[in-house]
Amino acid sequence: GKHVEILDAKTKDKLCFLDKVEPNATIGEIKSMFHKSHPQWYPARQSIRLDPKGKSLKDEDVLQHLPVGTTATFYFRDLGAQISWVTVFLTEYTGPLVIYLMFYFRVPFIYSPKYDFTTSKHWVVHLACMCHSFHYVKRLLETLFVHRFSHGTMPLRNIFKNCTYYWGFAAWMAYYINHPLYTPPIYGEQQIRIALIIFLFCQIGNFSIHIALRNLRPPGSKTRKIPYPTKNPFTWIFLLVSCPNYTYELGSWLGFTLMTQCLPVAFFTLVGFIQMTVWAKGKHRSYLKEFRDYPPLRSPILPFIL
């Protein structure tokens, strides 16, 4: 067997010496052994690398296939407290659902006391609540039953940042939409009807893309493939766009903005669009890098534009 020593990447202190490790041991198994001697650092927190400043090794990497001698020296860095993606999404998405409903039901201490637990006289306010709730319930169910996460965890500190974003915007939007002085859209019923059609169309589209992406990745595998249109017409946008899930998500929020004609909603849509464009461009770039035969017609998020 091989000898494995693990040093602190910053201080170069010797943290751990593993005797007679099987040559076919994986980095994941070495992390588990390291965890036994250092219980505070569970495997998801560990970054193991060959060079103090180098790239983290993958859990699947096998010891004998790495460029190491009879004594393998690895460098360890603590990634900080980790939290599972599922937990992150459930927290991110339950917040907006509950917060919005608190404003909708006008619980005390939000508006003046005479409005406590009263309901709006505008039917669009009730429709908007149904759409907002539907959107987040859909996201929660997709997180539990549809999404496959290639990375199991993320740093705990990210959850505070993400929750501030989603929860803060939900409160800001809900305050104005459910306000006793809220005024409905200028073109009335027609505007609301068109907005609802856009919203629902895009929600179905977004769900269709999530299902198509799930079916692309067999359970437990990390192999990546190019997504292509399926029999479902909502996926045909894959002919022109790399990340149609974001295209449909943007469409949903444009529909919600049109439905409520509310400035904070428009602002949330804009900020979301900017963030999704950053993600879509990154994904598009990685597709181009990974696949020589990537379809040349595709744009990251908006066909032919962006």
Side-chain angles (χ1 to χ4, degrees):
K2 285 177 180 281
H3 303 297
V4 172
E5 59 170 6
I6 298 174
L7 275 56
D8 187 302
K10 288 202 190 99
T11 64
K12 310 290 183 291
D13 293 340
K14 197 176 267 191
L15 296 172
C16 179
F17 185 80
L18 303 168
D19 211 20
K20 301 194 183 61
V21 178
E22 292 295 328
N24 59 355
T26 64
I27 291 295
E29 286 160 354
I30 290 169
K31 283 182 180 179
S32 298
M33 295 176 212
F34 181 49
H35 178 223
K36 282 198 183 75
S37 62
H38 294 77
Q40 73 271 35
W41 293 317
Y42 47 89
R45 277 187 84 140
Q46 300 174 27
S47 162
I48 301 287
R49 60 249 335 241
L50 287 165
D51 181 72
K53 293 194 168 64
K55 261 180 66 178
S56 296
L57 295 166
K58 294 189 180 72
D59 283 355
E60 304 83 72
D61 290 341
V62 179
L63 188 54
Q64 60 189 0
H65 299 154
L66 293 168
V68 290
T70 41
T71 300
T73 305
F74 293 115
Y75 295 91
F76 158 81
R77 242 195 90 194
D78 180 17
L79 294 172
Q82 298 289 302
I83 185 163
S84 90
W85 273 101
V86 176
T87 311
V88 172
F89 283 133
L90 296 185
T91 317
E92 277 177 18
Y93 301 153
T94 310
L97 189 60
V98 173
I99 289 166
Y100 194 104
L101 289 170
M102 285 171 67
F103 285 90
Y104 174 75
F105 289 115
R106 294 179 178 167
V107 299
F109 308 110
I110 295 176
Y111 306 113
S112 69
K114 64 173 175 180
Y115 294 114
D116 288 355
F117 299 116
T118 57
T119 51
S120 173
K121 57 180 185 287
H122 306 297
W123 66 277
V124 66
V125 172
H126 308 299
L127 179 67
C129 182
M130 287 188 267
C131 289
H132 190 275
S133 302
F134 174 81
H135 175 263
Y136 282 104
V137 167
K138 167 184 167 294
R139 274 199 187 182
L140 284 166
L141 293 173
E142 285 175 335
T143 300
L144 290 171
F145 303 112
V146 180
H147 293 318
R148 293 213 172 103
F149 299 103
S150 51
H151 314 287
T153 64
M154 70 187 268
L156 181 63
R157 56 185 170 271
N158 287 20
I159 200 169
F160 300 107
K161 193 179 67 190
N162 293 17
C163 285
T164 305
Y165 172 75
Y166 283 110
W167 297 23
F169 264 119
W172 193 34
M173 294 192 292
Y175 176 81
Y176 285 99
I177 297 169
N178 298 293
H179 199 288
L181 301 178
Y182 170 82
T183 52
I186 188 140
Y187 295 108
E189 225 158 295
Q190 192 71 320
Q191 179 173 337
I192 297 163
R193 244 198 304 272
I194 289 166
L196 177 62
I197 290 165
I198 294 170
F199 177 83
L200 291 174
F201 178 87
C202 290
Q203 288 287 280
I204 296 164
N206 178 271
F207 177 71
S208 301
I209 300 300
H210 286 154
I211 293 291
L213 290 172
R214 178 202 167 89
N215 294 339
L216 209 58
R217 185 186 270 168
S221 83
K222 293 202 176 183
T223 49
R224 282 203 286 265
K225 299 195 203 103
I226 301 174
Y228 283 105
T230 67
K231 288 198 283 275
N232 176 348
F234 285 96
T235 66
W236 297 351
I237 185 175
F238 265 129
L239 291 168
L240 300 175
V241 172
S242 288
C243 299
N245 47 326
Y246 298 143
T247 315
Y248 282 126
E249 183 73 8
L250 171 64
S252 297
W253 288 108
L254 286 171
F256 195 68
T257 304
L258 187 66
M259 181 188 299
T260 55
Q261 202 175 308
C262 178
L263 199 59
V265 180
F267 192 62
F268 179 63
T269 304
L270 178 66
V271 174
F273 173 52
I274 293 166
Q275 176 62 80
M276 289 187 289
T277 301
V278 172
W279 288 333
K281 285 184 158 175
K283 189 81 181 151
H284 184 73
R285 262 197 307 273
S286 73
Y287 279 144
L288 288 173
K289 213 168 86 182
E290 194 170 352
F291 304 107
R292 292 247 164 264
D293 53 346
Y294 194 70
L297 261 184
R298 292 188 195 183
S299 312
I301 188 167
L302 297 177
F304 309 114
I305 301 170
L306 198 67

